[in-house]
Amino acid sequence: MSVRSVSLTLRLSALVAVVAFAVFSVVGVYLYRSLAGQLQERDDADLVERADLMRHFLDETSNTAEITRDPHRFLDSASLDGDVFLLMQASDGTTLAKNTESLSPASHVVPLTRPAVQADVIETEADRSARQRVLSVSGRVASGELVRVTLARITADRSALLSAYRWRVLGAALLGAAITATLGSILIRHALKRVTALAEQARHVSAQNLRVRLDGAAAPNELRILADSFNDVLDRLEASFNNLSQFADDLAHDMRTPLNNLMVQTEVMLSQPRPAEDYQNLLHSNHEEFGRLARMVESMLFLARADHDEVALSLERLDLHQELTRIADYFEGPALDAGVQIAVSASGTVIADAQLLRRAVSNLVSNALRYTPPGNSLRLDAAEKDEWTSVCVTNFGPSIAPEHIDRLFDRFYRADPSRSSASGTSGLGLAIVKSIMTLQHGRVTVTSQPGGDTRFCLLFPNRPG
Ligand SMILES: Nc1ncnc2c1ncn2[C@@H]1O[C@H](COP(=O)(O)OP(=O)(O)OP(=O)(O)O)[C@@H](O)[C@H]1O
Ligand SMILES: [Mg+2]
């Protein structure tokens, strides 16, 4: 099982356990240290008290011989228990009284001139394993002889107590961590129920059911953001999906008409023997339909490739007057047939892909030619401005109603329903123009005045990017 696949609850619970253990341990160490300090303080205060008492007894003792005569009087009066030891020595080092063999005076002896304090107690090694707290003070008997009193307390008891306490602290920290982790996991599970509820709603989303939206209103803030983002994604998906289905419907519809024509005409022709001229006419008509289908498929392929950024651009600086004149020459024949004149007024240059520019302008010109009433003219103009260079095609003719303007660049959209696919157009021309401009980081605009001009402009950015 990889770390990634471990459940979030488990991971968070483990994290909570580690954090809780760390916190409990820090608190435990603090308590342990303060207890150890207090115990030592209490023991040291006890040694200081006993030293004072011994000094007091010495004051009341006439001479050192009295001590050697009855050492137990001192040993008893110091009320020594099993852990405390006493050593009394004369100023020449002779032992006067003792209850242990292994005790030696501390390196520092508190002089007669001042009382002993806790800071005078030092720690030394009692034997190989035990430590002891030792206090040495000077005392004086009535005869004036000095006596060195050394008191010691073995810390073994305290160490044992502290060691037991250490284990208890560790046990408490572990138990605390376990309890916190368990409670944490219950709380986390409870919080994650909301996520599970959202996941359950998301499970109902499918290609057939893209209308489902997550109910973020009941979720906490953090999850509401997630639900809202997910709903936004669904909105976009639904719009794209609808576009795609519409596109597929339109495509099927637009291909069905020419294919039906081909079938019906061919069947009629085959129903009985006909003169060669009829077959020739049919082949001509079929050739036109095939041409139309081929153009449609080519347009679809172009749009698909442009959608996936698979159209390679070959940008170059183009002379606009030269380019537009060339396009006008190309449309000379159709323009003559339509009784329309093409006027060019262009200057400046543009950085663009020559093939794509020609294709976009040609699409606009072929539309304009179709809608310009005979006897009128069609204008091709271009100008370089600060930010944009525009290439426009303007014609006089029927205006486009405002409600169509936004949808004009959609695939298969025709503003005039009477001009169905039978008219020989596919409704893909402006969609291709838009794709071409998107590929070149430009855009296309359209204005159409009732009873006036319809003007399509290609805008190329002067600073690419
Ligand atoms: N100059 C214009 N004047 C009026 N209407 C226009 C003009 N240019 C385009 N249109 C409207 O925009 C619609 C879409 O144009 P588009 O070029 O995309 O498709 P099409 O010309 O019908 O087909 P295709 O260009 O694929 O042969 C046209 O059907 C027409 O209704
Ligand atoms: Mg067109």
Side-chain angles (χ1 to χ4, degrees):
M1 186 166 51
S2 73
V3 179
R4 274 161 183 267
S5 66
V6 175
S7 88
L8 189 62
T9 313
L10 203 64
R11 270 199 260 178
L12 285 176
S13 306
L15 203 67
V16 168
V18 171
V19 171
F21 181 70
V23 172
F24 285 131
S25 300
V26 168
V27 173
V29 167
Y30 170 76
L31 291 177
Y32 171 82
R33 279 176 182 261
S34 54
L35 177 69
Q38 275 177 8
L39 286 178
Q40 182 175 309
E41 242 175 62
R42 197 196 61 184
D43 286 355
D44 291 354
D46 179 59
L47 280 185
V48 168
E49 211 174 287
R50 285 173 198 252
D52 281 351
L53 193 67
M54 292 311 296
R55 271 179 166 175
H56 181 67
F57 284 148
L58 286 173
D59 282 347
E60 290 175 354
T61 306
S62 44
N63 53 37
T64 51
E66 197 183 325
I67 304 173
T68 40
R69 225 179 6 258
D70 185 8
H72 280 286
R73 191 162 68 90
F74 285 88
L75 297 174
D76 293 345
S77 58
S79 59
L80 305 173
D81 50 41
D83 281 343
V84 183
F85 301 102
L86 173 69
L87 169 67
M88 295 178 85
Q89 293 168 304
S91 50
D92 60 1
T94 326
T95 302
L96 303 171
K98 62 177 178 182
N99 69 342
T100 176
E101 291 303 322
S102 60
L103 185 59
S104 51
S107 53
H108 146 83
V109 181
V110 181
L112 262 183
T113 47
R114 66 170 177 87
V117 292
Q118 284 181 27
D120 294 317
V121 182
I122 57 166
E123 187 153 323
T124 63
E125 201 153 326
D127 55 41
R128 259 178 296 133
S129 61
R131 314 249 336 142
Q132 61 186 0
R133 304 286 295 171
V134 182
L135 173 64
S136 289
V137 297
S138 271
R140 190 163 45 194
V141 288
S143 63
E145 291 165 275
L146 286 178
V147 175
R148 191 163 53 203
V149 179
T150 300
L151 283 153
R153 176 186 282 278
I154 300 285
T155 59
D157 245 18
R158 183 153 52 92
S159 301
L161 182 97
L162 285 174
S163 154
Y165 185 71
R166 243 186 341 250
W167 285 110
R168 275 168 187 252
V169 166
L170 182 66
L174 283 172
L175 186 68
I179 293 173
T180 314
T182 311
L183 290 178
S185 87
I186 294 171
L187 291 178
I188 292 165
R189 246 181 253 275
H190 179 71
L192 287 181
K193 264 189 191 156
R194 310 270 194 187
V195 180
T196 319
L198 287 181
E200 190 51 43
Q201 292 172 21
R203 220 188 293 277
H204 293 110
V205 180
S206 68
Q208 288 72 36
N209 194 9
L210 273 174
R211 311 224 65 167
V212 176
R213 292 293 178 272
L214 302 192
D215 178 16
N221 272 352
E222 295 81 351
L223 290 183
R224 195 172 309 150
I225 296 170
L226 187 73
D228 289 349
S229 312
F230 191 79
N231 286 343
D232 285 347
V233 171
L234 283 179
D235 285 345
R236 289 197 294 273
L237 268 181
E238 191 183 6
S240 304
F241 194 81
N242 287 344
N243 267 351
L244 212 61
S245 343
Q246 183 64 45
F247 183 53
D249 287 352
D250 292 342
L251 178 64
H253 180 264
D254 273 61
M255 294 196 84
R256 194 179 55 190
T257 312
L259 283 174
N260 273 348
N261 287 349
L262 286 168
M263 291 252 297
V264 170
Q265 285 170 11
T266 311
E267 275 166 15
V268 170
M269 198 55 68
L270 290 175
S271 61
Q272 60 185 74
R274 307 206 179 247
E277 198 185 335
D278 287 0
Y279 291 122
Q280 254 179 3
N281 286 341
L282 176 75
L283 286 178
H284 269 303
S285 147
N286 283 3
H287 183 253
E288 258 176 40
E289 289 292 4
F290 283 134
R292 218 185 121 219
L293 282 171
R295 277 197 303 280
M296 192 190 290
V297 170
E298 194 277 328
S299 297
M300 299 286 306
L301 275 178
F302 178 86
L303 286 170
R305 279 172 41 229
D307 272 358
H308 295 104
D309 260 347
E310 282 170 11
V311 177
L313 290 183
S314 124
L315 296 179
E316 56 187 304
R317 190 167 283 283
L318 303 170
D319 183 285
L320 286 166
H321 181 77
Q322 205 177 314
E323 285 300 325
L324 294 191
T325 312
R326 189 176 156 161
I327 294 168
D329 290 348
Y330 177 78
F331 279 96
E332 208 177 84
L336 261 177
D337 292 345
V340 173
Q341 269 205 331
I342 301 181
V344 176
S345 106
S347 63
T349 58
V350 68
I351 296 176
D353 181 300
Q355 295 298 330
L356 295 184
L357 173 79
R358 284 168 205 157
R359 185 164 188 178
V361 178
S362 299
N363 281 2
L364 296 180
V365 173
S366 80
N367 281 351
L369 270 181
R370 196 178 321 130
Y371 291 100
T372 310
N376 287 283
S377 66
L378 182 164
R379 277 196 326 276
L380 297 186
D381 60 274
E384 237 181 304
K385 302 263 168 55
D386 279 351
E387 293 192 6
W388 302 91
T389 295
S390 60
V391 176
C392 302
V393 177
T394 313
N395 74 289
F396 173 80
S399 67
I400 307 169
E403 66 265 26
H404 296 303
I405 294 272
D406 282 346
R407 301 205 49 200
L408 230 44
F409 300 93
D410 289 355
R411 294 166 193 192
F412 296 112
Y413 191 80
R414 297 176 184 91
D416 181 0
S418 63
R419 285 181 177 270
S420 68
S421 52
S423 67
T425 62
S426 62
L428 291 172
L430 288 179
I432 288 177
V433 172
K434 189 180 170 191
S435 277
I436 286 174
M437 292 317 290
T438 308
L439 280 172
Q440 298 180 97
H441 305 290
R443 57 197 177 89
V444 49
T445 62
V446 53
T447 52
S448 185
Q449 284 148 11
D453 287 343
T454 295
R455 182 170 167 85
F456 284 86
C457 284
L458 309 179
L459 300 179
F460 293 86
N462 286 341
R463 275 173 230 106

